[in-house]
Amino acid sequence: MVSWMKRKKISVLLSALFLLFGMSACGKENTNHADDSVVIAIGSEPETLDPTKGWGHGNSPIVQSTLVKYTSDLTFENDLATEYELSADGLTWTFRIRDDAFFTDGEKVTASDVAFTLETAKAARGSVDLTYMERVEAPDERTVVITLSKPTSIFLNTLASVGIVPEHAYDEDYGVQPIGSGPYRFVEWRAQEQILFTANENYYGGVPAIKNVTVVFMSEDAALAAVQAGEVDVAYSSATLGRAEVAGYHVEAIPSADNRGFTLPVLPAEGKVTESGAPIGNNVTCNPEIRQAVAYAIDREQVADVVLNGFGRPAYSENDGMPWNNPEVRIETDAAYAKKLLAEGGWADADGDGIVEKNGLKAEFCCIYPAGDSVRQAVAMAAAEQVGEIGIRIRVEGVSWDEITKRMFSDAVMMGWGSSIPNETYYLYRSEGALAEDFYNPEGYGSDVTDGYLDAAMEALTVEEANENWRKVQWDGREGTAMRGACPWVWIVNLDHVTYVRDGLSIGEQPIHGHGHGLPLIQNLSEWAWSE
């Protein structure tokens, strides 16, 4: 296995070679671009372009249309749908769809395609959760009737992410050669290199100003090198690189709910393992006073200002700033209170080595992060240094994602989540999902009280009722998932999505980004345009 340090050196070397041989001098202003084209550098390659298997999850899928779509302020507007209504019992949704939508092979989009898409997504059991959908019917070409097994307040959020696929042209290769009815047509995908899109000239919503789109996959260092050489028009970068000034470009710091924080196993190590054989539990982090002490010891403002170069804000939950956030989750940095928690829990530095212990157990644990992720590494190391001041030692280690999947149930992980929709709260904390091998709840948190609030939020018939229960999940005045409560997560910072943009290009009104290394950036691609 290549160590993180070796990978870092290789990345820097490749960037230097990229500059030396393939591009013009760093900082030289480059204004050459096609007026109807863009080249975009992002760090994350999608696994598929099939919406039924996760493409567009939490974002607009761009190749495909959706029944409804998000506005920049996270409300909904019609896309394929022209109108919809919900029955009084919250179980039946009826959609009418537009008559002027066509797939790029010329076939008309019908209600049958919508029904087929939702049935396929439910059967796939991937990132699109439709387990609560009982059936979907298409009584005529323009009407879709969806029956749920129980009221589900996040149903429109789900539909806004599920692009409609063509029943007549869907096969096992669809994920790499998709056909859709969205603003862009798929052209070509070269794995680990780039994806090409072109504007859909028959798009019912109007032809986008940007006709040709090249999305290239680059590391953060290589993307900055590409900007400095003028070879890309837009590049998703990182907070650690966002202060570089490049002639002909400006930096847009896009607010996001993309957070970084520690997951802390809440179960003791008792020799239990997951279905795949991964060890469960940690005898240090299973103590609530340890988790809370870590949370109170961290100076989030300092991490955001110093580590993130100011491109971020303190994080206190998975949904800071959202309408369903509970303001009582906010805590102040208080090292003295953290030490008091430890002392009251029976932890003391008996041998004077700077680490507190209890019954012979040292307060130390390992926090792992994906090697090569400079932001996660920097945040983890800064937080570990601060936590060390109260007598808890956190060893920070960069490992592969494969290793993370084996160790995340017993070690802390510098995890990244964050979504502009409330679905995430449900998946992060429900007891049913504890220790599932999907990254949502590896810490093993579960609570009957929390489950009750989660179910009530999901089954609410109004937004107000749902939001009230989402807030109680976090803190109901006595308990909750917040850091002042059970604290299965220690939230640290919300990142700004640092993006280099060539002067003269507008990337539209970006909605609040969720988690993702670049893909949220292109969800409003049809609004981008060069100035004349």
Side-chain angles (χ1 to χ4, degrees), residues 60 101 105 121 136 138 168 181 186 251 274 283 335 358 461-462 499 525:
S60 168
D105 64 355
V136 53
H168 67 276
S181 56
F186 168 79
V251 171
T274 65
N283 288 329
K358 179 180 179 179
L461 295 181
T462 67
T499 308
L525 189 58

Side-chain angles (χ1 to χ4, degrees), residues 368-388:
I368 55 179
Y369 71 93
D373 189 320
S374 63
V375 170
R376 295 196 204 205
Q377 180 197 29
V379 171
M381 292 185 71
E385 182 177 358
Q386 294 175 346
V387 171

Side-chain angles (χ1 to χ4, degrees), residues 33 35 210 248-250 252 501-507 528-532:
H33 63 81
D35 291 338
I210 301 297
Y249 291 81
H250 61 280
E252 297 198 19
V501 181
R502 193 188 294 273
D503 294 342
L505 175 64
S506 168
I507 59 172
W528 294 20
W530 291 100
S531 58
E532 297 181 0

